[in-house]
Amino acid sequence: MTVSISNTLGGQREPFAPLDGTHVKMYVCGMTPKREPHIGHARLFVAMDMIRRYLTYCGYEVEHVQNITDVDDKIIAAAEREGITADAVAQKYTDAYDAVMGRLNVLRAHVFPKVTETLPQIIAMIEGLIEREAAYVAEEAVYFSVPGFAAYGALSTRSEDSGIQAGASGRVDDEPGKRDPRDFALWKPAKPGEPWWSSPWGQGRPGWHIECSTMIYETLGARIDIHGGGADLIFPHHENEIAQSEAYTGEQPFAKYWLHTGLLTIDGQKMAHSLGNFITIEDILESYSGPVLRLYLLSVHYRSPLTYTPESLEQARAGMARLTGALRAQAGGAGSADEQLTQAAQRAEAGFFDAMNSDFNSAGALGQLYELVRDINRLSADAQPAALESAQGTLVSLADVLGIDLQEVLEAELAGGDGDASGFIDLLVELRADLRKEKQFALADKVRDELAALGILLEDSPSGTEWRRKA
RNA sequence: GGCGACGUAGCCAAGUGGUAAGGCGAGGGUCUGCAAAACCCUUAUACAGCGGUUCGAUUCCGCUCGUCGCCUCCA
């Protein structure tokens, strides 16, 4: 059974076969660090992380590069707004990104190229494109010549006479010397006060698209296996990348598999900084743990649109409590259910990998985990410790493939939190046990209720009382 | 206007050419001093609508409607 991938290029699901054996070159269009990352960003990066982890699990060596667009109109605007330099803005929000991705258990890319550190290479690539007559120097800027690139529109399935010209109209006036409405800037002049770099075409900065082509060429080479990004980047950004890269290297396909995540919407609209309707990842993490947010994002197939609602996060929290709950199950039997448990674990494992092999269907894979949870809870009383622990081990290791560390979440439920109040909680639990012995149930229940209000959940069992924190 | 994606129960969400995983919520039980957790049962005359292909479609094709996205910065 091999992994199959839905490829935006071609619109088909295809078996995954890297260009070079088991080596996978993966590039993800990263952040423009201009504001705090929001949960739409989280969706992309968690999805790509899940894919990277799964491929790695399958034995591939994934080389992951993710750019940082630290030069951009919005960054310049943010610098003015915040009264700091553009560099400082980029650094501030790059740090914000790092902090939050760590909590979501997103593995760091192996390389994070920045535009500001790639200028000579970008200029060299533009020069190369001009030499190849794929680009031309206009009055103020350098443009890529789209009419010279026959395959233009293949990714976004747009033809010249469909929407591209109509959409580009109105921009032509602002760009003197541009020959075709579809042509796009590789280099543009700096306006007064903007950051700039010297180039053969004067002081200016790169266009948006060229950076990715250059960074990929410099870090991964002429051709890569996987190129990922949000669905909103298909056109024009990724279309333009293909044109630049293939025109420059003469090799194609530039990227073998194009993976795009469905956009996250809120109140019927795409979540975006520019629309002002965003919820930052940090905001969510005030109320929910990283693993819960990650679970939420993986509960929907990465290509589907995802509508954010507060309720869906509550559902994810409940789901997480269910997953860790199965880890707290105790073996209580002589082993009459051992065989059933073993089979349940095998069934879940097989279903899990079937789902994951089908275009990284994390939602379907999670469904298998929940089934295993039910079987563990149902059968634990009649199982021996070894069989139960084995099934629980399967649950933990499958969740781990998705980047969800159930052991860690469980430990956080049992201890963790700010400061360590465990001693005091244990004391209250003991006192309550005494009250219960004295049949002072009103007081005992008060202790329980008050603790619950503080997020500490008590569960009585014949063997005593256990407590945990709300996920 | 053009291009694309999506439309499954109260909600979230997988999936399949042969009559629909899972989760949340709700109701009823078991357990419990009462709870909680867990388990069991119940909660879709059928997957937006209309046609078509097929022995048979939710699952393929066409159209319609709706939602979202892209065509301008955008994950």
Side-chain angles (χ1 to χ4, degrees):
Chain A
M1 183 77 185
T2 52
V3 179
S4 68
I5 295 189
S6 280
N7 193 351
T8 306
L9 182 60
Q12 301 285 316
R13 185 174 291 190
E14 307 170 23
F16 179 63
L19 297 165
D20 176 21
T22 58
H23 186 201
V24 176
K25 296 179 178 183
M26 176 174 180
Y27 181 88
V28 176
C29 270
M31 286 287 297
T32 299
K34 60 181 187 289
R35 292 294 289 266
E36 298 82 359
H38 58 64
I39 50 181
H41 298 119
R43 157 105 127 147
L44 168 70
F45 298 121
V46 166
M48 292 300 151
D49 182 65
M50 177 271 290
I51 288 167
R52 169 180 164 183
R53 283 172 184 271
Y54 189 63
L55 291 176
T56 302
Y57 182 86
C58 291
Y60 294 103
E61 301 131 45
V62 181
E63 193 178 356
H64 175 194
V65 176
Q66 186 170 307
N67 67 301
I68 297 173
T69 303
D70 58 350
V71 178
D72 171 88
D73 291 346
K74 301 275 176 62
I75 291 178
I76 294 166
E80 285 172 17
R81 188 175 63 239
E82 301 189 25
I84 52 180
T85 66
D87 282 352
V89 168
Q91 191 56 53
K92 175 180 171 183
Y93 293 115
T94 299
D95 290 345
Y97 168 88
D98 286 343
V100 116
M101 287 301 136
R103 293 187 60 187
L104 286 172
N105 202 22
V106 170
L107 295 170
R108 288 183 60 77
H110 300 104
V111 184
F112 282 103
K114 296 179 178 177
V115 177
T116 52
E117 295 168 359
T118 318
L119 261 298
Q121 296 90 331
I122 289 173
I123 289 169
M125 184 177 263
I126 296 172
E127 287 180 314
L129 285 166
I130 294 170
E131 279 167 27
R132 290 161 179 71
E133 297 185 345
Y136 58 91
V137 183
E139 291 172 37
E140 297 179 339
V142 181
Y143 293 102
F144 184 90
S145 178
V146 169
F149 187 74
Y152 196 77
L155 182 72
S156 57
T157 62
R158 284 161 212 243
S159 57
E160 179 182 349
D161 53 16
S162 64
I164 296 172
Q165 282 190 316
S169 66
R171 294 270 300 159
V172 187
D173 293 340
D174 303 323
E175 297 170 311
K178 200 163 108 167
R179 296 172 188 166
D180 187 287
R182 296 172 297 162
D183 293 352
F184 52 91
L186 300 176
W187 188 265
K188 52 190 182 184
K191 300 190 189 88
E194 287 183 353
W196 55 266
W197 288 263
S198 294
S199 81
W201 319 285
Q203 297 177 345
R205 56 198 170 97
W208 174 34
H209 316 294
I210 190 67
E211 63 178 77
C212 285
S213 286
T214 304
M215 289 170 178
I216 289 170
Y217 185 72
E218 293 295 326
T219 58
L220 294 170
R223 296 170 69 198
I224 63 174
D225 296 290
I226 293 176
H227 192 131
D232 52 351
L233 296 186
I234 296 170
F235 188 90
H237 185 56
H238 289 160
E239 197 73 71
N240 292 353
E241 273 187 55
I242 292 172
Q244 294 162 340
S245 292
E246 293 187 1
Y248 181 78
T249 66
E251 295 184 39
Q252 56 90 27
F254 161 54
K256 191 170 182 189
Y257 304 96
W258 285 87
L259 307 198
H260 291 102
T261 54
L263 298 179
L264 186 136
T265 61
I266 179 169
D267 297 329
Q269 262 197 319
K270 175 173 76 162
M271 182 175 288
H273 281 144
S274 56
L275 295 171
N277 62 348
F278 60 93
I279 300 176
T280 67
I281 299 169
E282 211 178 335
D283 281 346
I284 297 292
L285 292 178
E286 295 276 314
S287 312
Y288 299 89
S289 70
V292 167
L293 178 53
R294 186 173 174 108
L295 178 66
Y296 163 66
L297 294 169
L298 293 178
S299 296
V300 183
H301 186 92
Y302 74 91
R303 291 187 83 88
S304 301
L306 172 59
T307 304
Y308 170 79
T309 60
E311 295 75 41
S312 50
L313 267 173
E314 281 300 322
Q315 293 188 1
R317 168 181 274 164
M320 182 61 84
R322 195 162 161 73
L323 291 172
T324 54
L327 264 37
R328 293 184 288 121
Q330 303 283 322
S336 61
D338 285 4
E339 181 61 26
Q340 272 180 282
L341 245 189
T342 304
Q343 286 175 358
Q346 288 170 349
R347 199 165 51 238
E349 197 165 47
F352 180 93
F353 289 114
D354 274 352
M356 289 301 285
N357 285 333
S358 301
D359 197 24
F360 313 103
N361 182 359
S362 57
L366 282 168
Q368 297 297 320
L369 259 44
Y370 289 118
E371 293 206 44
L372 179 55
V373 164
R374 191 188 59 225
D375 288 326
I376 286 173
N377 288 332
R378 185 164 55 91
L379 299 168
S380 59
D382 297 316
Q384 294 190 81
L388 176 61
E389 281 163 24
S390 169
Q392 289 170 324
T394 300
L395 182 64
V396 169
S397 56
L398 293 180
D400 186 59
V401 172
L402 295 174
I404 295 171
D405 188 336
L406 290 181
Q407 290 289 9
E408 197 177 281
V409 175
L410 183 65
E411 282 164 26
E413 284 176 13
L414 298 180
D418 41 354
D420 193 2
S422 299
F424 296 102
I425 296 166
D426 287 340
L427 177 62
L428 285 166
V429 169
E430 266 181 55
L431 282 171
R432 176 171 166 274
D434 292 341
L435 291 168
R436 290 179 70 210
K437 272 182 208 154
E438 307 288 326
K439 306 245 184 253
Q440 300 211 41
F441 295 122
L443 266 180
D445 290 352
K446 185 177 180 187
V447 171
R448 183 176 63 198
D449 294 344
E450 299 284 320
L451 281 172
L454 296 170
I456 308 296
L457 308 176
L458 267 50
E459 292 177 14
D460 299 328
S461 74
S463 57
T465 298
E466 302 213 334
W467 64 268
R468 64 190 167 88
R469 288 174 207 275
K470 204 172 162 188

